């Protein structure tokens, strides 16, 4: 592929996340063209394909194998991530795999091994917070020593309502996994232990509260799936010399009906729009050179290792040590 030609991208899974990626690639990311899409819902695939002038692939495997597709975005459900990422590795194609990289430690370890065998980085895991301007500033402040040595981190991750397929294990493995990735990235320290609890003992066990140990740093993580008022992600790092936190990214203050305050994002697409675009732009640039960017397969594997320990803790009621990576 010459530099002047756009990267020909195929996208698998066209739900909330996949459709958002197709739109962002088409309207906000230079150097990319969505040429093929696939979804098990053929009607949905037809609609999204028509909106950007792409063709509909009959299967995910067919899309990955298509010689006219240079690189692949995987945004289908979690259970499809590792198998499709392995298929991309087998054809030597760069892949942006939505989080999590897999649904078990065995799966994510297999991806890491397959990428090692391929001999170069091809996998990017969709931990888009690493591209969010607020998180990037927070990380720079923490690692640059602005608040001294980090001691505590407080994370809040709230969704208005649960995805219809949400499970108790998925609260850790699909939602909290964002924090399990971002905590080591923010502090430069690996997770060494985790305890996860919920006030609910049956049904969908959420909200969940975790204490995550990163050596000398302790972090709290709240994940709630049904707060109703909107999508709300917060993070504060307390250090020996001060504290630093993300400011709510609201652009508007609204005064109405006797109340004044900030507008809360409706969902992840609104809150992290800039992060998704920056992530895709970096990925398109890297994939155009046949490589990867952002969170690696090893990062995705590590987050799943910690999530598995969190799930074990939730069911046993005990702290679980996380082996070093
Ligand atoms: N990075 C983020 O912030 C973020 C946010 C939301 C979702 N996600 C991830 O994106 C993925 C999709 O989530 P969503 O919210 O878009 O879900 P969704 O339910 O809105 O969409 C899933 C889509 O995948 C399709 N699908 C189901 N099985 C498929 C298969 N075998 N092959 C191809 N398509 C298939 C469905 O028909 C649907 O259109 C999940 O893995 C989720 O973890 C990431």
């Amino acid at each position: 592929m010459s530099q002047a030609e756009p990267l020909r991208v195929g996208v698998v899974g066209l739900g909330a996340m996949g459709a958002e990626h197709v739109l962002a690639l088409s309207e906000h990311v230079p150097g990319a063209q969505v040429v093929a899409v696939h979804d098990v819902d053929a009607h949905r695939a037809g609609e999204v394909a028509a909106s950007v002038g792409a063709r509909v692939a009959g299967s995910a495997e067919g899309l990955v194998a298509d010689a006219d597709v240079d690189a692949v975005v995987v945004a289908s459900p979690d259970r499809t991530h590792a198998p499709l990422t392995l298929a991309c590795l087998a054809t030597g194609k760069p892949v942006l795999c939505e989080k999590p990289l897999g649904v078990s430690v065995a799966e994510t370890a297999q991806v890491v091994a397959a990428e090692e065998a391929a001999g170069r980085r091809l996998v990017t895991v969709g931990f888009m917070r690493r591209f969010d301007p607020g998180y990037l500033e927070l990380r720079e402040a923490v690692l640059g020593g602005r608040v001294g040595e980090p001691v505590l981190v407080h994370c809040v991750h709230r969704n208005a309502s649960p995805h219809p397929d949400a499970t108790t294990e998925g609260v850790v493995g699909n939602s909290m996994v964002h924090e399990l990735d971002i905590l080591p990235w923010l502090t430069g320290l690996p997770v060494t232990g985790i305890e996860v609890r919920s006030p609910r003992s049956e049904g969908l066990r959420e909200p969940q509260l975790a204490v995550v140990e990163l050596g000398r740093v302790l972090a709290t993580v709240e994940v709630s799936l049904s707060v109703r008022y909107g999508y709300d992600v917060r993070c504060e790092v307390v250090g020996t010399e001060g504290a630093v936190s993300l400011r709510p990214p609201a652009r508007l203050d609204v005064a109405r009906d006797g109340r004044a305050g900030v507008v809360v994002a409706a969902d992840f697409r609104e809150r992290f729009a800039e992060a998704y675009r920056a992530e895709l732009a970096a990925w398109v640039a890297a994939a155009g050179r046949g490589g990867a960017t952002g969170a690696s397969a090893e990062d995705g594997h590590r987050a799943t290792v910690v999530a598995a320990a969190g799930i074990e803790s939730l069911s046993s009621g005990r702290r679980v040590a996380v082996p070093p990576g």
Side-chain angles (χ1 to χ4, degrees), residues 25-142:
L25 283 165
S26 305
E27 294 190 359
H28 301 285
V29 177
Q33 187 184 354
V34 179
V35 294
V37 296
H38 171 74
D39 194 290
V40 286
D41 179 341
H43 179 71
R44 176 99 185 134
E47 274 180 353
V48 174
S51 72
V52 294
R55 61 184 173 278
V56 175
S59 70
E61 293 73 19
L63 179 147
V64 171
D66 188 336
D68 292 329
V69 169
D70 301 317
V72 178
V73 174
V74 175
S76 38
D78 298 2
R79 65 180 182 283
T80 66
H81 292 186
L84 289 174
T85 300
L86 287 169
C88 290
L89 285 169
T91 58
K93 288 185 186 174
V95 52
L96 172 61
C97 177
E98 261 311 331
K99 57 81 205 168
L101 180 57
V103 291
S104 70
V105 170
E107 264 192 0
T108 55
Q110 207 185 340
V111 174
V112 170
E115 194 188 49
E116 264 168 28
R120 63 192 166 113
R121 260 201 78 183
L122 287 166
V123 178
T124 300
V125 183
F127 285 124
M128 79 301 178
R129 292 184 187 182
R130 292 175 179 231
F131 293 89
D132 177 68
Y135 270 103
L136 282 163
E137 274 185 50
L138 184 60
R139 181 175 192 248
E140 201 181 297
V142 173

Side-chain angles (χ1 to χ4, degrees), residues 11 13-22 74-75 98 268-269 276 279:
V11 181
L14 305 167
M17 189 74 267
E20 188 71 9
H21 283 331
V22 169
V74 175
E98 261 311 331
F268 54 90
R269 291 169 292 195
Y276 294 124
E279 172 187 66

Side-chain angles (χ1 to χ4, degrees), residues 122-292:
L122 287 166
V123 178
T124 300
V125 183
F127 285 124
M128 79 301 178
R129 292 184 187 182
R130 292 175 179 231
F131 293 89
D132 177 68
Y135 270 103
L136 282 163
E137 274 185 50
L138 184 60
R139 181 175 192 248
E140 201 181 297
V142 173
L143 296 181
R146 289 271 294 280
V147 292
E149 285 291 317
V151 181
L152 295 173
V153 187
H154 299 294
C155 306
V156 169
H157 180 170
R158 296 179 183 156
N159 292 266
S161 57
H163 187 282
D165 299 333
T167 63
T168 294
E169 292 74 22
V171 179
V172 186
N174 178 283
S175 298
M176 195 187 294
V177 76
H178 274 298
E179 278 75 20
L180 303 181
D181 172 66
I182 221 70
L183 282 167
W185 178 83
L186 266 182
T187 58
L189 299 166
V191 175
T192 46
I194 184 168
E195 180 171 350
V196 185
R197 299 178 62 178
S198 173
R200 306 258 182 279
S201 56
E202 52 194 28
L204 179 60
R205 296 187 63 195
E206 66 92 17
Q208 292 181 7
L209 201 58
V211 175
V212 181
E213 301 162 17
L214 301 108
R216 60 183 189 276
V217 173
L218 269 189
T220 61
V221 182
E222 172 202 320
V223 177
S224 299
L225 297 190
S226 43
V227 296
R228 293 167 191 270
Y229 70 86
Y231 180 80
D232 193 1
V233 168
R234 306 179 196 174
C235 186
E236 178 178 29
V237 179
V238 183
T240 50
E241 308 290 333
V244 59
S245 58
L246 289 179
R247 191 180 296 140
R251 294 195 172 89
L252 290 182
D253 273 323
V254 176
R256 188 182 163 153
D257 299 331
R259 290 159 199 259
V262 297
V263 176
V264 179
D267 67 15
F268 54 90
R269 291 169 292 195
E270 191 180 334
R271 165 65 182 84
F272 285 111
E274 265 183 279
Y276 294 124
R277 288 174 196 173
E279 172 187 66
L280 286 166
W283 176 70
V284 164
R289 297 188 295 270

